[in-house]
Amino acid sequence: MPKVVDPAERRRELVEAVLRVMRRDGLEQASVRNVAREAGLSMGSLRHYFASQSELMVFAFRTVIDRIESRLAALEPEPDPTRRAQRLLAELLPLDDERRAENEVWLAFNSRAMVDPALRALRDEGYDALRAGCQAMVTDLSAAGLAPTDVRTEAERLHALLDGLAVHAAMRPDIHTAESLTAAIARHLDALAIERSARDAAEGEDPA
Amino acid sequence: MPKVVDPAERRRELVEAVLRVMRRDGLEQASVRNVAREAGLSMGSLRHYFASQSELMVFAFRTVIDRIESRLAALEPEPDPTRRAQRLLAELLPLDDERRAENEVWLAFNSRAMVDPALRALRDEGYDALRAGCQAMVTDLSAAGLAPTDVRTEAERLHALLDGLAVHAAMRPDIHTAESLTAAIARHLDALAIERSARDAAEGEDPA
DNA sequence: GCTACCCTAACACAACTGTGCTATAAAAGT
DNA sequence: ACTTTTATAGCACAGTTGTGTTAGGGTAGC
């Protein structure tokens, strides 16, 4: 009976099982037994694809990261920096069920990474990528005169706002609807532009 | 030998043991055995003070919440809304080792509350309190002409920024120093004031 | 004195964990 | 046709978990 499915496909199925269990019962319930049962396999089979639980978790986390990154990369090019930022941020916020699920497992992985060294490297990778993305967005906006020139501080602020909204959406999905999340982000982008104009005007006055 | 210390004191010691274990080894290591060993007691003794692990965790979480709230309440009154907001936010951010520790256990409790119903109520309580605090700050700033009039959106933005910064500080304490955190918050308060001025000016022009 | 009570300790139990090992059947390679 | 590799299943083992129960030692009230 073996060899009926592609090994890579099996691994993907197992990752899906991990994510399902994590969402339904919490990260600590994602034991090798529970995951194997969820996937309809014996735990001996699971161990054939992943030698250890840590390996399974790392692969699952990596899969989630790759999925998010490829989704961002697949976005059609958008020359206008504001609209580009809006689309990127909309892709990162948990606005629909699929991304809500993704957000939950992302947060679970992140919290385990606080203690598990094997996951820490992946968490840092995701963190750095998001940080770089925020920095790129602010840089483009700033170049277009739509954000203050202090890119570093503004990128940190945007990044923290984004992650904070994601955490809040996971904690209270009833309060933080897709509308309120997008409104908060839109307001922030708007505020960045206003701030830039005001600072430019102040600079034009002061030294003159 | 029993009865040498106040039972309430014992409970406090046990909570401290919980927090130490949680910070050192992670939340999932805070088993009744590990906590009892950390406190230098047998697990039979621990169970005399807390009938179940859930009870212990709830009490520990409650203690952390109370500690933060009483520290905020102990702040001397500050009439200037900007300075008051700065002080409140400085008290909530993990700027020193003590509050870094507090922040870590806070996040750990929050992540477990995603799955543990007993902790969820406490998490929601903490969330609501912080949300109300942000709303109060923005309301005062807005009344003083130092923040936009859309209190609801701005409170959500401030709240998310605050929690996002706390998460980032826990993840990357090397990157997010006390200086960068306070700078981000200061910039945000500054931006709120600028935004208000600009919107007021725009409104004065438009309908005229 | 003594009785009642609080605290502490220690053990038992069932459930769960990750991991190693073995057996077997199907496929692939020759 | 035969051998080797791959995939699956199942079990054993040692460790940890939460919780219950039992017993004993120390203090306080009478």
Side-chain angles (χ1 to χ4, degrees):
Chain A
M1 205 187 292
K3 214 44 152 328
V4 303
V5 295
D6 180 25
E9 179 59 30
R10 259 281 135 72
R11 288 181 152 235
R12 242 171 291 155
E13 287 177 19
L14 284 167
V15 167
E16 291 308 315
V18 169
L19 303 186
R20 277 199 303 274
V21 174
M22 277 180 54
R23 277 199 69 207
R24 175 159 28 87
D25 309 316
L27 185 145
E28 57 275 3
Q29 293 302 314
S31 63
V32 290
R33 275 175 181 79
N34 288 347
V35 170
R37 177 152 16 94
E38 177 76 24
L41 288 179
S42 74
M43 61 190 217
S45 293
L46 191 154
R47 270 196 106 243
H48 181 252
Y49 294 97
F50 297 101
S52 71
Q53 170 176 250
S54 176
E55 216 172 276
L56 171 62
M57 288 303 178
V58 166
F59 187 83
F61 198 0
R62 159 111 283 146
T63 301
V64 172
I65 291 179
D66 289 348
R67 191 176 301 172
I68 296 174
E69 285 185 344
S70 62
R71 216 179 43 222
L72 289 177
L75 284 181
E76 63 226 33
E78 168 62 62
D80 180 63
T82 301
R83 276 203 291 273
R84 183 163 64 245
Q86 281 172 342
R87 293 203 188 165
L88 284 169
L89 294 168
E91 205 66 48
L92 289 166
L93 283 172
L95 299 181
D96 55 24
D97 281 338
E98 184 200 343
R99 276 169 293 192
R100 256 188 289 274
E102 206 171 67
N103 185 44
E104 280 179 38
V105 301
W106 174 267
L107 294 177
F109 275 126
N110 270 273
S111 86
R112 167 159 287 200
M114 288 291 290
V115 154
D116 185 344
L119 294 180
R120 186 137 45 206
L122 284 173
R123 181 202 65 179
D124 288 348
E125 184 186 323
Y127 174 90
D128 291 341
L130 193 50
R131 183 179 181 81
C134 288
Q135 208 135 16
M137 281 188 258
V138 174
T139 300
D140 293 350
L141 287 169
S142 182
L146 293 168
T149 52
D150 186 353
V151 172
R152 184 154 180 79
T153 303
E154 292 302 342
E156 180 173 1
R157 201 149 68 99
L158 176 60
H159 188 187
L161 176 67
L162 185 60
D163 278 354
L165 287 176
V167 170
H168 285 183
M171 282 172 48
R172 293 289 195 87
D174 51 328
I175 295 180
H176 294 91
T177 62
E179 290 75 28
S180 85
L181 293 174
T182 48
I185 282 289
R187 162 62 69 106
H188 189 76
L189 294 178
D190 206 25
L192 287 181
I194 291 176
E195 209 186 334
R196 169 59 177 270
S197 309
R199 289 187 195 275
D200 280 355
E203 194 171 308
E205 283 171 15
D206 242 325
Chain B
M1 204 186 292
K3 216 43 154 330
V4 303
V5 295
D6 180 25
E9 177 60 30
R10 259 285 134 79
R11 287 180 151 235
R12 241 171 291 154
E13 286 176 20
L14 284 168
V15 168
E16 291 308 315
V18 170
L19 302 187
R20 275 199 304 274
V21 173
M22 277 181 55
R23 278 200 67 210
R24 176 158 30 85
D25 309 316
L27 185 144
E28 56 275 6
Q29 292 302 314
S31 63
V32 291
R33 276 176 181 78
N34 288 347
V35 171
R37 177 150 18 93
E38 177 75 26
L41 288 180
S42 77
M43 65 190 212
S45 293
L46 191 154
R47 270 193 109 248
H48 181 255
Y49 294 97
F50 298 100
S52 72
Q53 170 176 250
S54 177
E55 216 172 278
L56 171 62
M57 287 302 177
V58 166
F59 187 82
F61 199 180
R62 161 110 282 147
T63 301
V64 172
I65 291 179
D66 289 348
R67 193 175 301 172
I68 296 174
E69 285 186 344
S70 61
R71 216 181 40 225
L72 289 177
L75 284 180
E76 63 226 33
E78 168 61 63
D80 180 62
T82 300
R83 276 203 292 272
R84 180 163 65 246
Q86 281 172 343
R87 293 203 187 165
L88 284 170
L89 295 168
E91 204 66 49
L92 289 166
L93 284 171
L95 299 180
D96 56 23
D97 282 337
E98 184 200 342
R99 275 168 293 191
R100 256 189 289 274
E102 207 171 65
N103 186 45
E104 281 179 38
V105 301
W106 175 266
L107 294 176
F109 274 127
N110 271 273
S111 86
R112 167 158 286 199
M114 288 292 289
V115 154
D116 184 347
L119 294 180
R120 188 139 43 209
L122 284 173
R123 181 202 65 177
D124 288 349
E125 184 186 324
Y127 175 89
D128 290 342
L130 192 51
R131 183 178 180 81
C134 288
Q135 208 134 16
M137 280 188 257
V138 174
T139 302
D140 293 350
L141 288 169
S142 182
L146 294 168
T149 52
D150 187 353
V151 172
R152 182 152 181 79
T153 303
E154 291 302 342
E156 179 173 2
R157 202 150 66 99
L158 175 60
H159 188 186
L161 176 67
L162 185 60
D163 278 354
L165 287 175
V167 170
H168 286 182
M171 283 172 50
R172 292 289 194 88
D174 50 327
I175 295 181
H176 294 90
T177 63
E179 290 74 30
S180 86
L181 293 173
T182 47
I185 283 289
R187 164 60 71 105
H188 189 76
L189 293 179
D190 206 25
L192 288 181
I194 291 176
E195 209 185 335
R196 169 60 177 270
S197 309
R199 290 187 194 274
D200 281 356
E203 194 171 307
E205 281 171 16
D206 242 326

